[in-house]
Every structure is written in structure tokens, then in C-alpha cells.
């Protein structure tokens, strides 16, 4: 083994950022494909997705959990849950301590959980996991000092679009909320810089068939906040009028969408912007790996795996069960993603960009789409 390789190994395993078991777990996940792992995964989860709360200070129109426009009897609607208690959080991290990262998100606003910052500190300092979170930004100004002073690695704040009018169209909330969130992000960046904190601050946008032409404006607004990176998320569809794939979601075969995306980023911002993944409804290959890498747990100790489509987690299974990571539920879900074709997938998985999404850079290489 060469000296340069030994130096890299030493840097990785003796940096003090993670335990050796976490690195081993991480590299084995990287080494084996989901087909090599199979239904029984002989590793621990790579990521823990923690539903810190089911409460939210907003009821956004496009949210499958809190939207007043999504029927309560929708089979895959994410049910609200109680705030996660610290003991449940600690139990989960202690049991699956080889996870490399923990995401404190939820089906609501994570900052509403009274133990949020206590959870961050335990994850980062005791379990040496990378800790991250997502916020709608409305109450961020009340928590700026705590966020900056915490051991969060990064926080994603949902600004959603370029101005107040489109924010109202997307969310159903007043245009003034957009200005408040923008100001809160800017204040957080300023406080972070003043404290010389390592915290990374990201801003996210949602694009659909009505606002994708405003992506350049979104980038300019995101740049004005001073955020470290700008992320664009494709609209996740639901089977209801006004939310359907053909009405809202950006598709890979739409040449106009691709043209706008290809010309939307100024040269100086190319390393600071992640464009939306386009949905390919004709794709058969299943890209999703979350059932092999991620364990999602809510405040009532229910568990699942998907952190994207947020399929309902209710059921008899609990994270305190004797068998969790290789339970019959997760082995059955993994089987759905190992088999060919889409027929055995749950409906939300059939229209998820994480599963059937195509990165714009890869679209250009597909002759059938040109």
C-alpha cells in the first residue's frame, strides 16, 4: 500500500469526526449495490431520518400532511404524530449507532420540538453523527442564536419560490410570509458569519410547470440571502385535481423545460446551485435505495424508510421491536425495489423523482430524448 493511500486511510479513520464502526458501515454501503445486499441487509442503516414533530405553524397547499386541499382519507397521506421525546430519540441513535448521519425533520416544523437542540447535541457530540435539519423559516428569527451555536452541520430553509405572489400560489399563505422567510435567512447568514460558525445554510425552492421559467430569478433571490447553496425540488404529485403529474411535475421529455434549465445558471453560480431532477414516467429502472440505507422514526415510535414521499408510517411495527432493520416490513419493501417493473410499487413510488428521476446532465446523453 502506497504512502499516499495510508495517509488517506489515516485521515478518514482517525479524524475524530466519526467512530470506526460508522466508517466501516458507510464504506460497505458504498461497496455493495442494493441487488448485492438483497432483502436482508447485514449492515446498520446509513442515515436516520427523525420525525421530530407532527405539528406545523403552516398548512401549505402542496404539503401532503397538512394541506387543506388533500383529502383526509387519502391512503398515503402522512398522518400527524406526537412530538418525539428525547428518550425515544436517544434510544434510536443508541440502537443504530453506526449510522453516519441523522436528519431532524418531520411532518411539521422541527424547531417546534422543545428538545430539538438537545437532540442535535446528542447526535453530534455523543454519537458523532452529521446532524441536519429542514425549516420553513417562519420562526427562524426566534432561534437564530441557538441554531448558530448548535452542532448542526447544515440547515435547509424552504423559501420555495422567487416572490410573494408565487409563494401564495404554491402554499396558500400571504405574500408577506415570503419576505419574512427571506429576511430570516439573511439574518441567520449574518449571525453565522459573525460567529464564524461552521454551519452551512441552504435555501430550497419548489418548481412546477407554472414557475420553472423563474428559476433564474429564484437563483438571484437565493444568492441575495447569502446562503451557501441553492436547491431546486421538482413538484411531487398527488392523484388529485391540481396536483397531478401532468399538471404540475417537470417531465424529462419536455424540451422547453430542459432548455430553460440548461440556460438558467450564471457561470459564477454553477457550483452553488442544484437544479431539479426531472421525472421520467417511462423509466423502468428503480433508482431508489432508501429502503436499504435509511430508517425513519416518528414520535410514536413507528418506523419506515422513505424520507421523500412520506408515505403513511402508521402500523403495528415499532422501533422498540426485537427486529427492526430486517423486519418483515422492510424486507418486503426491499423486494419491491429489487423486482423488475413498476406494478409491485406503491403509487407514490411510481412518481417519485428519487426513484424515476433523471439528472439534467444525464438527459443530454440519452439519444432517445433528443
Amino acid at each position: 500500500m502506497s504512502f499516499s493511500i495510508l495517509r488517506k486511510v489515516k485521515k478518514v479513520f482517525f479524524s475524530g469526526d466519526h467512530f470506526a464502526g460508522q466508517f466501516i458501515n458507510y464504506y460497505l454501503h458504498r461497496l455493495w449495490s442494493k441487488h448485492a445486499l438483497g432483502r436482508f441487509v447485514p449492515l446498520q442503516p446509513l442515515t436516520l431520518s427523525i420525525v421530530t414533530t407532527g405539528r406545523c405553524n403552516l398548512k401549505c397547499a402542496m404539503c401532503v400532511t397538512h394541506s387543506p386541499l388533500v383529502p383526509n382519507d387519502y391512503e398515503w397521506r402522512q398522518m400527524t404524530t406526537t412530538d418525539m421525546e428525547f428518550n425515544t430519540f436517544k434510544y434510536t441513535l443508541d440502537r443504530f449507532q453506526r449510522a453516519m448521519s441523522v436528519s431532524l425533520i418531520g411532518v411539521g416544523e422541527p424547531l417546534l420540538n422543545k428538545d430539538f437542540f438537545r437532540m442535535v447535541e446528542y447526535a453530534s457530540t455523543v454519537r458523532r453523527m452529521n446532524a441536519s435539519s429542514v425549516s420553513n423559516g417562519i420562526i427562524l428569527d426566534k432561534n437564530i442564536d441557538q441554531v448558530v451555536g448548535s452542532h448542526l452541520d447544515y440547515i435547509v430553509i424552504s423559501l420555495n419560490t422567487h416572490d410573494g405572489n408565487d409563494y401564495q400560489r404554491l402554499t396558500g399563505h400571504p405574500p408577506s410570509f415570503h419576505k419574512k422567510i427571506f429576511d430570516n435567512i439573511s439574518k441567520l447568514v449574518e449571525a453565522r458569519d459573525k460567529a464564524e460558525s461552521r454551519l452551512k445554510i441552504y435555501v430550497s425552492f419548489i418548481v412546477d410547470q407554472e414557475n420553472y421559467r423563474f428559476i433564474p430569478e429564484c437563483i438571484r433571490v437565493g444568492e441575495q440571502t447569502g446562503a451557501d447553496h441553492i436547491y431546486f425540488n421538482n413538484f411531487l404529485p398527488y392523484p388529485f385535481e391540481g396536483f397531478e403529474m401532468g399538471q404540475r411535475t417537470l417531465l424529462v421529455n419536455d424540451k422547453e423545460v430542459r432548455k430553460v434549465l440548461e440556460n438558467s445558471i450564471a457561470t459564477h453560480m454553477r457550483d452553488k446551485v442544484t437544479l431539479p431532477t426531472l421525472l421520467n414516467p417511462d423509466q423502468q429502472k428503480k433508482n431508489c435505495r432508501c429502503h436499504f440505507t435509511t430508517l425513519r422514526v416518528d414520535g410514536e415510535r413507528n418506523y419506515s424508510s422513505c424520507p421523500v414521499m412520506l408515505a403513511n408510517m402508521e402500523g403495528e411495527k415499532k422501533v422498540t421491536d426485537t427486529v427492526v432493520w430486517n423486519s418483515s416490513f422492510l424486507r418486503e419493501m426491499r423486494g419491491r425495489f429489487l423486482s423488475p417493473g413498476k406494478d409491485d410499487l406503491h403509487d407514490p413510488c411510481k412518481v417519485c423523482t428519487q426513484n424515476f428521476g433523471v439528472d439534467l446532465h444525464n438527459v443530454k446523453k440519452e439519444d432517445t430524448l433528443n
Side-chain angles (χ1 to χ4, degrees), residues 123-344:
S124 179
T125 62
V126 178
R127 285 300 165 204
R128 297 189 190 177
M129 297 179 186
N130 294 330
S132 63
S133 189
V134 177
S135 173
N136 61 36
I138 290 293
I139 60 173
L140 190 60
D141 53 332
K142 299 177 181 178
N143 297 274
I144 285 179
D145 290 342
Q146 286 178 288
V147 171
V148 171
S150 74
H151 282 84
L152 272 174
D153 287 275
Y154 69 86
I155 185 169
V156 182
I157 304 158
S158 305
L159 187 55
N160 287 327
T161 189
H162 66 294
D163 67 13
N165 290 332
D166 200 50
Y167 184 88
Q168 184 174 41
R169 177 189 69 85
L170 273 174
T171 68
H173 295 297
S176 60
F177 281 26
H178 184 269
K179 176 67 162 56
K180 180 175 178 59
I181 299 168
F182 175 91
D183 290 343
N184 285 348
I185 299 171
S186 302
K187 291 175 184 177
L188 180 63
V189 171
E190 182 180 2
R192 186 273 312 269
D193 293 346
K194 183 177 180 180
E196 298 183 348
S197 166
R198 64 171 185 153
L199 174 71
K200 294 296 183 182
I201 301 168
Y202 305 144
V203 60
S204 68
F205 296 88
I206 295 175
V207 287
D208 62 8
Q209 293 184 21
E210 292 190 44
N211 72 355
Y212 72 89
R213 294 179 181 84
F214 294 105
I215 286 179
E217 284 79 359
C218 290
I219 293 175
R220 282 194 286 272
V221 171
E223 185 179 11
Q224 288 169 6
T225 67
D228 299 294
H229 201 88
I230 298 166
Y231 288 94
F232 287 94
N233 299 307
N234 200 344
F235 187 90
L236 296 176
Y238 314 127
F240 308 108
E241 177 62 30
F243 294 88
E244 296 176 350
M245 178 183 68
Q247 297 174 310
R248 303 293 293 273
T249 308
L250 304 184
L251 304 179
V252 73
N253 59 3
D254 190 325
K255 293 184 178 180
E256 177 61 27
V257 168
R258 287 161 48 187
K259 181 178 179 181
V260 169
L261 265 59
E262 290 169 0
N263 297 285
S264 61
I265 309 177
T267 302
H268 73 283
M269 291 294 291
R270 291 196 179 278
D271 293 332
K272 299 184 68 174
V273 176
T274 299
L275 291 173
T277 301
L278 303 178
L279 181 64
N280 183 2
D282 297 323
Q283 181 177 319
Q284 294 298 312
K285 180 183 177 182
K286 303 167 185 175
N287 294 325
C288 181
R289 284 179 56 92
C290 71
H291 308 286
F292 302 81
T293 63
T294 305
L295 183 68
R296 184 173 172 85
V297 182
D298 71 10
E300 297 177 15
R301 302 188 177 186
N302 300 314
Y303 70 86
S304 183
S305 50
C306 176
V308 179
M309 294 303 282
L310 306 181
N312 189 0
M313 293 171 63
E314 288 186 325
E316 299 300 321
K317 59 193 186 308
K318 301 292 180 181
V319 73
T320 50
D321 292 345
T322 302
V323 179
V324 173
W325 184 234
N326 283 300
S327 64
S328 59
F329 166 77
L330 282 175
R331 285 186 281 116
E332 189 267 341
M333 286 300 296
R334 289 166 189 156
R336 293 176 184 270
F337 286 83
L338 291 171
S339 65
K342 295 183 178 181
D343 292 343
D344 53 353

Side-chain angles (χ1 to χ4, degrees), residues 82-97:
T82 58
D83 283 11
M84 178 173 284
E85 295 180 352
F86 180 77
N87 286 340
T88 300
F89 178 82
K90 181 178 181 298
Y91 173 88
T92 302
L93 269 64
D94 290 350
R95 182 170 183 180
F96 301 102
Q97 58 189 263

